[in-house]
Amino acid sequence: MTELLRGSGLTLLRGDRCLFRGLDFALHAREALQVKGPNGSGKTSLLRAVAGLLDLEEGQVTWRGQPTLGHRQAYCDELVWFAHRLGFKADLTLVDNLRFEAGLRRTRMDRFDEVLERLGLGRLTRLPLRSLSAGQQRRVSLARMLLADARLWLMDEPFTNLDAAGQALVLELIDAHLAEGGACMLASHQPIVLQGTLKSLVLQ
Amino acid sequence: MSAANRPTLVAGLVAILRRDLLLAFKRPGDVLNPLFFFAIVSTLFPLAIGPAPEQLVAIGPGVVWVAALLAMLISMNGMFLGDFEDGSLDQLILSPQPLPLLALGKTITHWLVSGLPLVLVSPLIAVTYQMPFDTIGVMMATLSLGTISLSLLGSVGAALTVGLNRGSALLSLLVLPLAMPILIFGARTVALAASNDVVSAGIYFLAAYCVLGLSLAPFATAAALRISNE
């Protein structure tokens, strides 16, 4: 199996507090890595650091063997980010928001209708995003991940605001993504079950 | 897996222009605010100072330019605030499109939405100051170049202060010193035009300032956004 993502000796300080020190992990194709830990243990910070949004104190993250810092474009080309703040404009419609994404990264617009149907968003395309419920907005964010032609999914707390069906759907989507040769790193404190390989990383 | 092509740079620029213009169109209040400010400030001066024509001709260029500068300052603070708050900034930073390109796109929209209306309204203001007809052309030229430079300066300042709670005061402090040459050359050039002097030097200076900003500001803005978004 090809190794995609590796973190070696990751150390992150926030203020004068050390969130983690000398952390190592590796993520291969067809694998998911769950970052666990109590609130405030640095799950989100770890994900942000892996994505390149936060600077690490020490250590480096490599993507396909190349450090992500020097090869940002190649790395960003293959990743898609899913977080609590969705990164959509509440005044614009679902279609306008997702069409904007197509200008940012490789997007499978040919799958557009199919993806919306799958996520149960087919009837909401004309409404501004602010009139959708929180759970529906999370589903729009899932639509971005499905449309993006990305190998690596970075997901921060993917289950918040979703109903039981939505949570099952997230797991199903992750499994399908892994089966296609993708990889997923997610931060969540709740136990999850996947068909594919699931590794875990516990932060104190 | 890979079936889609990576969008071109032009596609990225068009996408962000389209999105931000659409947003501005949905929230016209944000757009009209600086414009109203500009119009009100510059029409209040004749009322307060008195309608003597020679006085109005003397203060006209200065008042129009100060009002335009302040109106631009008001609008700068919000340039990246929305994107910072709703997480769009994370998505922009993590997209394979170069961040300076996206920053440039946002700056262009800011100018189209806040700067261009000032330029278009300025002839009406000029008439209230009894400006001669050929001066109005010079004023619009200097205001166009000046507001573009101000949008570019503002993008760097707004990117540096976007993560701060009370960024707007700091933003003015950061931007104003750099904006002084624009104000001085802009207002003086219009005054020179009013007294039928040569104006090309001032316009060249403003154009040079604008080109300098255009070539440096997007990169500075991108670097500042990465730092502010930590």
Side-chain angles (χ1 to χ4, degrees), chain B residues 72 75 110-120 143 147-148 151:
Chain B
M72 290 298 284
S75 63
H110 177 260
W111 181 73
L112 288 176
V113 165
S114 316
L116 187 61
L118 302 187
V119 178
L120 296 178
L143 271 181
T147 46
I148 295 174
S151 281

Side-chain angles (χ1 to χ4, degrees), chain A residues 42-70:
Chain A
K43 299 191 291 291
T44 299
S45 298
L46 173 61
L47 270 187
R48 288 181 73 84
V50 167
L53 290 168
L54 273 185
D55 277 342
L56 288 158
E57 202 68 29
E58 275 168 41
Q60 72 171 1
V61 180
T62 56
W63 172 254
R64 296 184 191 274
Q66 290 179 318
T68 55
L69 271 185

Side-chain angles (χ1 to χ4, degrees), chain A residues 169-187:
Chain A
L169 180 67
V170 171
L171 293 176
E172 210 177 287
L173 295 177
I174 293 176
D175 259 328
H177 178 62
L178 299 186
E180 279 183 64
C184 176
M185 184 166 175
L186 70 158

Side-chain angles (χ1 to χ4, degrees), chain B residues 29-44:
Chain B
D30 297 357
V31 181
L32 294 177
N33 211 10
L35 187 61
F36 279 144
F37 178 86
F38 176 66
I40 289 171
V41 167
S42 34
T43 46
L44 282 181

Side-chain angles (χ1 to χ4, degrees), chain B residues 19 33 36-37 47 60 63 69 75 102 113 120 128 133 151 154 164 184 194 199:
Chain B
R19 184 195 72 164
N33 211 10
F36 279 144
F37 178 86
L47 296 177
V63 169
L69 176 66
S75 63
L102 301 175
V113 165
L120 296 178
T128 60
F133 187 71
S151 281
L164 307 175
I184 294 167
V199 293

Side-chain angles (χ1 to χ4, degrees), chain A residues 9-186:
Chain A
L10 307 184
T11 300
L12 187 70
L13 307 174
R14 292 304 266 167
D16 49 2
R17 210 163 78 84
C18 177
L19 286 176
F20 44 83
R21 186 181 294 281
L23 195 71
D24 296 302
F25 70 87
L27 185 61
H28 299 82
R30 300 175 191 279
E31 275 182 355
L33 175 66
Q34 181 184 12
V35 184
K36 294 180 192 168
N39 292 340
S41 58
K43 299 191 291 291
T44 299
S45 298
L46 173 61
L47 270 187
R48 288 181 73 84
V50 167
L53 290 168
L54 273 185
D55 277 342
L56 288 158
E57 202 68 29
E58 275 168 41
Q60 72 171 1
V61 180
T62 56
W63 172 254
R64 296 184 191 274
Q66 290 179 318
T68 55
L69 271 185
H71 304 82
R72 208 191 284 271
Q73 199 179 18
Y75 179 48
C76 288
D77 196 30
E78 297 200 82
L79 88 83
V80 58
W81 172 252
F82 177 102
H84 191 68
R85 292 184 304 168
L86 300 174
F88 287 124
K89 292 296 172 190
D91 288 323
L92 300 184
T93 63
L94 182 160
V95 176
D96 283 331
N97 270 305
L98 290 175
R99 195 180 290 152
F100 169 63
E101 299 291 327
L104 289 186
R105 58 175 69 83
R106 288 186 287 129
T107 304
R108 298 285 305 269
M109 286 312 264
D110 51 321
R111 284 199 209 154
F112 193 74
D113 294 326
E114 175 197 332
V115 164
L116 290 195
E117 217 45 60
R118 169 124 202 236
L119 295 171
L121 296 167
R123 289 147 157 253
L124 305 170
T125 51
R126 301 261 159 254
L127 294 172
L129 231 52
R130 75 163 71 255
S131 59
L132 271 56
S133 76
Q136 285 170 330
Q137 293 189 20
R138 300 287 282 187
R139 283 168 185 258
V140 181
S141 196
L142 287 173
R144 160 162 56 210
M145 310 205 72
L146 291 181
L147 289 171
D149 203 9
R151 185 62 73 98
L152 174 64
W153 287 7
L154 293 176
M155 307 176 95
D156 187 15
E157 300 289 354
F159 304 108
T160 1
N161 290 336
L162 287 172
D163 51 19
Q167 300 192 3
L169 180 67
V170 171
L171 293 176
E172 210 177 287
L173 295 177
I174 293 176
D175 259 328
H177 178 62
L178 299 186
E180 279 183 64
C184 176
M185 184 166 175
L186 70 158

